[in-house]
């Protein structure tokens, strides 16, 4: 879906919550293949039984990718992603966990390089099925100001 939202239209504190997605063993294997990260923390069930986690943990980058992907439901033609700050892997995600993402508009500021646009900072929180935050980051958008 496409929806035009100008810089002035973003409201601090507004939020949305995505639907959920269950993380599977296939996700682990495919992500390891894509990234080359075959660390035993993700791939060796027997090794992980000897750790405090007791089982394999999802790659942080897998949780980030899926969590951000869940938010990709609206295309704003006057905004683009400038990047992410303050990315933190707060709690482990395991095979069988279901995650969803809450986004909240945290701040707005002028863009020093672009007088016709501003920066919108969106707090991204990935939650597990117990509503525990497992990942947090700030997503920065460059958003055009309303013409005229």
């Amino acid at each position: 879906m496409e929806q035009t939202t100008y810089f002035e239209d973003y409201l601090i504190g507004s939020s949305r919550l995505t639907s959920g997605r269950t993380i599977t063993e296939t996700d682990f294997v495919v992500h390891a293949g894509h990234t080359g990260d075959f660390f035993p923390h993700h791939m060796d069930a027997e090794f992980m039984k000897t750790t405090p986690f007791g089982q394999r943990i999802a790659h942080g980058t897998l949780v980030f990718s899926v969590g951000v992907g869940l938010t990709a439901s609206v295309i704003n033609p006057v905004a683009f992603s400038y990047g992410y700050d303050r990315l933190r892997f707060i709690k482990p995600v395991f095979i069988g966990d279901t995650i969803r993402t809450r986004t909240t508009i945290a701040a707005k500021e002028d863009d020093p390089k672009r007088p016709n646009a501003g920066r919108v900072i969106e707090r991204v929180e990935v939650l597990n099925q117990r509503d525990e935050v497992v990942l947090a980051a700030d997503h920065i958008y460059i958003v055009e100001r309303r013409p005229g």
Side-chain angles (χ1 to χ4, degrees), residues 65-76:
S65 298
V66 172
V68 168
L70 288 169
T71 70
S73 59
V74 177
I75 298 168
N76 184 357

Side-chain angles (χ1 to χ4, degrees), residues 56-101:
R56 291 175 286 170
I57 57 174
H59 305 74
T61 52
L62 167 63
V63 177
F64 177 69
S65 298
V66 172
V68 168
L70 288 169
T71 70
S73 59
V74 177
I75 298 168
N76 184 357
V78 296
F80 66 90
S81 178
Y82 191 60
Y84 292 84
D85 281 345
R86 301 169 31 127
L87 175 62
R88 300 291 182 266
F89 307 126
I90 298 168
K91 288 185 176 272
V93 172
F94 304 106
I95 293 170
D97 281 353
T98 299
I99 61 172
R100 58 197 171 121
T101 304

